[in-house]
Amino acid sequence: MKIFHREPALWLGLVAIGVKLLAAFGVHVSAEQQAVINAVAAALVGLILAIIAGDAIGAAVVGFAQAALALAVGFGLDWSAEQQAVVLAAAAAVVAMWDRTQITAPAPATAVAPVRSV
């Protein structure tokens, strides 16, 4: 993706300034909500960069899910800690199942000889 080139930090800075501008000119966003928005933006950029690199996107997906859930809670989602933990565990399980299909063993499987009864 050519939009990021070598400057993902500049894009994150642009998001942060955009959020501050919106807050300064009438959008009611608390400092905590601004921080969570910036964290989600950082997680999203991390996910995009992991996809572009084509390597180990599982951790980036789980990190983005955590940031998105934090954003939802920051804007009023009323879930208990247990509910949040279950959702994040489910996200990690889905990523693990997907990762499993992407991994190739470094050595071929060896055939096991049948057991002969005596």
Side-chain angles (χ1 to χ4, degrees):
M1 244 174 116
K2 293 188 179 219
I3 193 167
F4 283 110
H5 291 283
R6 297 180 184 265
E7 305 298 340
L10 288 177
W11 285 101
L12 290 174
L14 183 63
V15 168
I17 294 300
V19 170
K20 289 180 191 304
L21 279 170
L22 289 173
F25 290 98
V27 177
H28 300 290
V29 182
S30 71
E32 291 173 355
Q33 289 172 327
Q34 289 180 38
V36 176
I37 291 170
N38 289 327
V40 170
L44 180 61
V45 168
L47 176 60
I48 291 169
L49 292 175
I51 291 169
I52 291 170
D55 186 39
I57 68 168
V61 169
V62 172
F64 179 71
Q66 290 171 334
L69 183 56
L71 179 65
V73 170
F75 277 92
L77 180 66
D78 188 24
W79 281 2
S80 69
E82 291 81 15
Q83 289 172 312
Q84 294 176 47
V86 168
V87 168
L88 292 177
V94 168
V95 168
M97 292 294 292
W98 182 81
D99 277 348
R100 177 66 181 100
T101 65
Q102 306 304 308
I103 298 171
T104 305
T110 58
V112 176
V115 177
R116 298 182 192 184
S117 57
V118 207

